[in-house]
Amino acid sequence: MQEYDPEAPRTSTAAGPLIVPRPEHNISRANISEQALKVLYKLKQEGFAAHLVGGGVRDLLLGHEPKDFDVATDATPEQVRQVFRNCRLIGRRFRLAHVHFGREIIEVATFRAGGADDVDAERHVENGMILRDNVYGSIEEDALRRDFTINALYYNINDFSLIDYTGGINDLRNGQLRLIGDPTRRYREDPVRMLRAVRFACKLGFAVEPDSERPLFELGHLLGDIAAARLFDELIKLFHTGYGLETFEKLRHYGLFGYLFPATETCLAQEDHAFPITFVSRGLRTTDERIAQGKPVAPFFLYAVLLWEPVRQRYEQLLAKGTVDTDAMLQAADEVCARQQPLVSIPKRYSLPMREIWYLQLRLLQRDGKRPSRLIGHPRFRAAYDFLVLRAEAGEADPELADWWTRYQEADPANRTTMIEGSVKRKRPRRRRKPAAASPIAG
Ligand code: ATP
Ligand code: MG
């Protein structure tokens, strides 16, 4: 064990872990959730080692409020289950114990060994990628198999000290994101770590250390090996945590975005189209703003934004071939979704409302008779309207149309009737801001 010297740079593990005693760090039990403390104390009482680890420790050290608290222990999942009545074992790839307290879940993981070389029944590796990993190990091995140094800090409930095997405290102090071990190998083991690098860089405002950064430009193709359902979950974490716009820009900077949304990337890369890029960016910025204001955000809206440009372009093509507008929209949506699903699978509960938003862009054009009053009662009207506003702001839909719907919602019933008459009398729609082929959705 080494003496803690706040000034001394530490990156090596050769001399054992760096231990920071309680008086020399800022993690206070007052900031740890009661439930996490209960789990830690109970494990300790039963004679097991119990530590807080991962994002909880990292965020507390940075003075942020942790999203959740993860516990690491030398008890096996079965032993954890015997200690807690309210416990469920989950996971195949990683076997974990979930201790339930109402809505709060404390994840308890047994120390695991890492490394993709030694293969046996509990660890399954293919082409350097770890598919199953349930080999238990020491706390040091557990630290070394984690992704980033700043995510491998342990808060020991025994004496409230911090344990650092990888130089994480130093990196935290320097605002650096550093992969533990050889970066290329660690990204190959689990390509999702590339997305996590981008996520933490944006969320924490950290710089990716150069050796950890370089492979990000080269290994994007490995994302194709990741299960499409896992990518969906990761993307929600990327785009729905308040830094979506910055994340999107960084993903494109590293060339990763194109492996996740190839059709969107193709559209964004086109020249002579200023607005597609601003549409996705605006959508993500709006989402970030909503999160900052504590408003709810919906995955279906996010995906409607991310995939709209390929849908719209395909729709225009089909329309030019003479397909009826509603059929063209449905077909365009089908085709884009069919190509996207194998990469990032969007669950039906999100893909259905996402498609409704697109389809409703056509119905928002119909301002005659009873249609507006009917449309406004549609469960997806508000999302479709927000979507239209975004399109108008990006210069892709008619701002007059978006403005009309804004006024229509605010108007009282008598004025709504007048508005409908007004809109019917005006035969020709106003010109779009941007010249483009005549198309119904362009308003
Ligand atoms: P967040 O604030 O988003 O929860 P987090 O760091 O806690 O960030 P989790 O996904 O909750 O992220 O993971 C908890 C911990 O498990 C991480 O801090 C890290 O130590 C480890 N971990 C998670 N995913 C991986 C991975 N793909 N490879 C290696 N270690 C990982
Ligand atoms: Mg976490």
Side-chain angles (χ1 to χ4, degrees):
M1 194 211 300
Q2 297 183 17
E3 294 266 313
Y4 174 61
D5 172 1
E7 302 308 317
R10 279 295 319 269
T11 49
S12 144
T13 65
L18 172 69
I19 311 270
V20 184
R22 172 62 190 100
E24 291 167 36
H25 67 73
N26 65 343
I27 296 190
S28 151
R29 271 162 291 164
N31 298 325
I32 301 172
S33 93
E34 212 178 296
Q35 280 71 17
L37 284 173
K38 264 189 214 158
V39 171
L40 289 166
Y41 279 127
K42 183 82 176 148
L43 285 168
K44 177 188 162 182
Q45 198 186 318
E46 297 292 324
F48 296 111
H51 302 78
L52 217 54
V53 67
V57 177
R58 178 197 68 217
D59 291 348
L60 287 174
L61 286 169
L62 289 170
H64 301 170
E65 194 186 331
K67 207 174 74 200
D68 48 31
F69 291 95
D70 297 321
V71 170
T73 178
D74 59 359
T76 63
E78 284 71 21
Q79 287 172 321
V80 175
R81 181 161 55 182
Q82 279 158 19
V83 174
F84 299 99
R85 269 184 306 121
N86 46 338
C87 178
R88 259 181 242 152
L89 301 191
I90 60 139
R92 198 179 98 86
R93 189 168 175 274
F94 295 144
R95 216 170 297 136
L96 295 168
H98 272 181
V99 185
H100 291 251
F101 297 91
R103 285 180 62 201
E104 187 172 352
I105 294 174
I106 305 296
E107 196 166 282
V108 182
T110 306
F111 295 144
R112 276 198 306 262
D117 288 342
D118 31 12
V119 179
D120 63 27
E122 290 301 310
R123 174 178 291 129
H124 182 57
V125 181
E126 267 179 37
N127 303 326
M129 191 162 105
I130 300 179
L131 299 179
R132 186 170 59 246
D133 190 13
N134 282 310
V135 181
Y136 302 128
S138 66
I139 180 171
E140 176 164 9
E141 287 171 310
D142 190 71
L144 297 180
R145 63 99 193 158
R146 289 179 184 272
D147 48 5
F148 300 96
T149 62
I150 60 166
N151 286 347
L153 297 168
Y154 296 77
Y155 170 82
N156 187 352
I157 199 65
N158 219 6
D159 58 5
F160 315 120
S161 66
L162 273 180
I163 311 175
D164 177 7
Y165 286 93
T166 65
I169 291 182
N170 214 41
D171 285 333
L172 206 62
R173 199 181 284 141
N174 296 328
Q176 280 214 99
L177 204 56
R178 183 197 306 273
L179 214 52
I180 297 167
D182 174 57
T184 299
R185 176 179 148 159
R186 300 303 312 281
Y187 288 132
R188 282 189 183 281
E189 272 175 15
D190 182 2
V192 164
R193 289 173 186 151
M194 295 189 280
L195 302 180
R196 291 174 61 87
V198 172
R199 174 154 74 91
F200 294 127
C202 295
K203 169 176 157 168
L204 306 173
F206 274 32
V208 187
E209 175 275 329
D211 287 340
S212 299
E213 185 178 42
R214 226 168 290 117
L216 294 176
F217 291 103
E218 293 151 17
L219 299 179
H221 61 277
L222 297 174
L223 291 172
D225 298 336
I226 302 295
R230 186 173 173 214
L231 279 184
F232 177 83
D233 294 341
E234 285 302 323
L235 286 169
I236 293 301
K237 288 190 210 161
L238 279 167
F239 289 122
H240 270 178
T241 30
Y243 306 89
L245 177 56
E246 201 185 328
T247 300
F248 166 69
E249 284 165 355
K250 265 213 165 64
L251 287 174
R252 293 198 75 213
H253 171 72
Y254 293 126
L256 298 174
F257 186 79
Y259 289 103
L260 301 167
F261 297 95
T264 310
E265 178 61 34
T266 306
C267 295
L268 294 177
Q270 278 165 5
E271 306 239 320
D272 280 330
H273 267 263
F275 70 83
I277 297 179
T278 79
F279 178 71
V280 176
S281 307
R282 274 166 200 274
L284 293 171
R285 193 189 308 135
T286 308
T287 303
D288 290 345
E289 284 164 4
R290 287 183 65 93
I291 291 168
Q293 293 161 5
K295 292 184 185 167
V297 289
F300 63 81
F301 194 87
L302 171 74
Y303 276 85
V305 168
L306 287 168
L307 296 174
W308 170 242
E309 199 48 34
V311 169
R312 189 189 66 81
Q313 292 197 8
R314 182 64 184 136
Y315 164 83
E316 303 277 357
Q317 280 173 4
L318 290 166
L319 212 62
K321 284 191 202 160
T323 314
V324 175
D325 60 354
T326 49
D327 292 349
M329 188 61 86
L330 292 175
Q331 191 182 331
D334 281 347
E335 290 178 13
V336 169
C337 290
R339 268 181 285 136
Q340 186 62 38
Q341 289 288 6
L343 300 174
V344 181
S345 73
I346 311 168
K348 263 223 167 72
R349 66 181 183 282
Y350 301 130
S351 66
L352 292 177
M354 167 186 82
R355 296 162 69 112
E356 269 181 311
I357 290 183
W358 295 335
Y359 190 75
L360 288 176
Q361 298 310 298
L362 296 178
R363 288 190 48 194
L364 282 162
L365 295 164
Q366 301 168 346
R367 290 183 269 174
D368 55 316
K370 292 207 183 317
R371 291 181 206 234
S373 65
R374 243 184 271 140
L375 187 57
I376 211 168
H378 191 288
R380 218 59 71 191
F381 167 78
R382 188 64 207 193
Y385 159 77
D386 287 344
F387 198 82
L388 173 67
V389 170
L390 216 55
R391 291 177 53 219
E393 284 171 0
E396 182 252 307
D398 187 351
E400 188 273 329
L401 179 68
D403 183 51
W404 188 91
W405 279 104
T406 308
R407 284 185 289 110
Y408 183 80
Q409 289 173 82
E410 289 162 358
D412 56 40
N415 286 340
R416 283 184 178 177
T417 315
T418 324
M419 283 178 73
I420 287 167
E421 285 163 1
S423 74
V424 172
K425 268 184 217 138
R426 200 165 53 74
K427 287 196 190 98
R428 288 169 60 92
R430 264 196 221 160
R431 281 181 60 81
R432 286 163 47 89
R433 253 201 275 170
K434 278 187 200 308
S439 136
I441 52 165

